[in-house]
């Protein structure tokens, strides 16, 4: 008897599941706790990787519309059928190539553990949403929330976003069960940013230079960016340890050091003096004047274009032939 090619083999489904990092959340309590973190934050939510739809169903109780982005064509079709006639729009494609609809104000998702950094970077670079609740690997959630010291990614965005760690989600809450626990991480855009939007590029360049700069302590690392006497004054005033590491700095200390590194810095002046240009000589634009960033090409308005049509960009190198691609990222 001939085998029907149209019937997907179980082995093929299992291979695709492993490739996409699919671990479906089966714990109703964890689902409710995840959604509860963003209840009342908005009306239109985007869900990353709905899978079997457990989180999607809970989101419908709290939001006017749900936009779901699912990489796996099997589960994308399943979600379309399951929620047919309801307030759910499904896009089948790679979230990292997805262009945010302008009405989205909230993001929720059980994120594949292997690409958490890439997803976070895409979210943080978007201009639309206001709050997000994500299930990520427990240690990653701790790191992003600063429980084990600051990281480059979190520090780079901390003047504009707040990162908070919530409940642990045990590995037994997922099917198939992963080898590590998950954790609920929320990210909220600050209503009053600690630095102007026009300083974001310069601050992120400064943070990267400090995290990757040579030296055996902060005093050695920062001498390339801040005059010695200025650093000494700031270190005494803000309690910055000379032998400390960038991960040990508080956000207040980061901002004070950044301001001191900028041209025209005046010790003792109130308020930050932001540069008129970045290091490449380009003038800063007010955020309101910038064209909002979108993910993926603008081909016919398709929010999820084929991956072959998308250019490789910094932080997204690597093969694009597997699930979300084996991309790299700090």
């Amino acid at each position: 008897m001939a085998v029907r090619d149209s019937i997907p083999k179980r082995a093929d489904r299992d291979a695709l599941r492993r490739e996409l990092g699919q671990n479906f959340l089966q714990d109703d309590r964890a689902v409710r706790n995840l959604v509860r973190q963003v209840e009342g934050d908005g009306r239109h939510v985007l869900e990353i990787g709905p899978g079997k739809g457990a989180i999607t169903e809970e989101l419908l109780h709290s939001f006017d519309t749900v936009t779901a982005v699912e990489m796996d064509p099997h589960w994308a079709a399943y979600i379309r059928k399951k929620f047919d006639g309801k307030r759910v729009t499904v896009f089948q494609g790679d979230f990292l190539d997805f262009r945010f609809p302008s009405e989205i104000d909230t993001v929720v998702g059980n994120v594949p553990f292997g690409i958490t950094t890439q997803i976070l970077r895409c979210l943080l670079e978007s201009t639309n949403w206001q709050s997000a609740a994500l299930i990520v690997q427990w240690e990653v959630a701790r790191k992003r929330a600063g429980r084990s010291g600051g990281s480059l990614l979190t520090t780079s965005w901390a003047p504009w976003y707040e990162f908070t760690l919530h409940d642990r989600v045990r590995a037994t809450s997922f099917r198939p069960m992963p080898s590590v626990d998950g954790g609920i991480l929320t990210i909220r855009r600050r209503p009053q940013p600690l630095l102007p939007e026009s300083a974001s590029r310069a601050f992120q360049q400064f943070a990267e230079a400090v995290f990757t700069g040579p030296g055996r302590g902060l005093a050695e690392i920062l001498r390339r960016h801040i005059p010695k006497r200025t650093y000494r004054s700031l270190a005494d005033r803000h309690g910055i340890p000379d032998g400390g590491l960038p991960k040990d700095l508080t956000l207040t200390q980061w901002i004070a050091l950044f301001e001191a590194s900028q041209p025209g810095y005046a010790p003792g002046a109130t308020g930050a003096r932001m540069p008129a240009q970045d290091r490449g000589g380009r003038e800063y634009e007010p955020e309101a004047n910038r064209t909002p960033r979108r993910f993926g090409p603008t081909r016919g308005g398709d929010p999820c274009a084929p991956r072959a049509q998308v250019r490789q960009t910094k932080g997204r190198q690597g093969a694009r032939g597997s699930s979300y691609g084996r991309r790299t990222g700090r």
Side-chain angles (χ1 to χ4, degrees), residues 51-308:
K52 296 181 179 181
I55 298 173
T56 314
E57 192 151 5
E58 187 68 23
L59 288 170
L60 281 171
H61 299 316
S62 302
F63 293 87
D64 291 353
T65 65
V66 178
T67 299
V69 183
E70 174 57 60
M71 181 73 172
D72 189 332
H74 169 80
W75 292 116
Y78 175 87
I79 292 294
R80 285 194 183 101
K81 183 177 180 181
K82 180 175 181 177
F83 295 100
D84 184 34
K86 297 186 178 180
R87 296 165 283 113
V88 178
T89 302
V90 182
F91 291 102
Q92 190 270 310
D94 188 337
F95 173 75
L96 297 180
D97 298 332
F98 184 73
R99 294 180 293 112
F100 272 62
S102 59
E103 69 271 14
I104 293 298
D105 45 38
T106 311
V107 180
V108 172
N110 172 26
V111 176
F113 290 172
I115 57 167
T116 299
T117 296
Q118 293 89 331
I119 285 179
L120 288 177
R121 184 175 288 115
C122 280
L123 281 175
L124 293 167
E125 290 176 356
S126 177
T127 60
N128 296 330
W129 61 276
Q130 298 298 314
S131 64
L134 308 173
I135 293 180
V136 300
Q137 186 175 333
W138 174 248
E139 288 303 323
V140 172
R142 281 175 47 83
K143 182 178 181 181
R144 296 305 171 213
R147 295 293 181 88
S148 55
S151 66
L152 174 56
L153 178 63
T154 304
T155 298
S156 295
W157 294 98
W160 301 276
Y161 294 91
E162 294 179 281
F163 299 79
T164 306
L165 175 66
H166 297 275
D167 289 356
R168 191 169 189 142
V169 181
R170 298 293 176 182
T172 52
S173 298
F174 302 89
R175 292 293 183 277
M177 188 172 71
S179 59
V180 294
D181 290 345
I184 297 177
L185 176 72
T186 59
I187 309 171
R188 283 186 167 82
R189 201 179 299 270
R190 294 182 185 274
Q192 296 295 329
L194 304 181
L195 286 172
E197 292 286 346
S198 59
S200 60
R201 187 181 303 172
F203 180 80
Q204 288 160 7
Q205 289 174 340
F206 175 73
E208 182 171 10
V210 173
F211 265 100
T212 60
R216 289 177 291 182
L218 288 168
E220 287 189 18
I221 296 171
L222 289 164
R223 68 185 179 186
R224 294 170 174 78
H225 308 284
I226 301 172
K228 185 175 181 180
R229 290 181 62 182
T230 302
Y231 168 77
R232 186 74 272 143
S233 175
L234 288 175
D236 293 342
R237 189 187 317 159
H238 293 281
I240 301 171
D242 289 350
L245 298 174
K247 70 180 184 66
D248 302 322
L249 290 169
T250 67
L251 182 53
T252 299
Q253 292 169 339
W254 270 109
I255 291 175
L257 291 169
F258 166 68
E259 292 176 349
S261 72
Q262 299 306 299
Y265 171 74
T270 57
R273 296 191 177 187
M274 294 299 106
Q277 296 180 333
D278 66 13
R279 294 181 185 180
R282 295 177 292 270
E283 291 186 2
Y284 284 90
E285 274 190 281
E287 187 69 17
N289 295 340
R290 297 181 191 173
T291 301
R293 184 182 186 275
R294 292 290 183 266
F295 305 125
T298 55
R299 298 175 61 255
D302 182 6
C304 281
R307 286 183 288 169

Side-chain angles (χ1 to χ4, degrees), residues 17-35:
R17 176 190 60 76
R18 289 191 295 270
E19 188 179 359
L20 298 179
Q22 292 172 332
N23 298 96
F24 302 115
L25 188 60
Q26 302 290 307
D27 186 337
D28 291 341
R29 179 180 175 276
V31 170
R32 289 192 298 269
N33 194 16
L34 172 68
V35 176

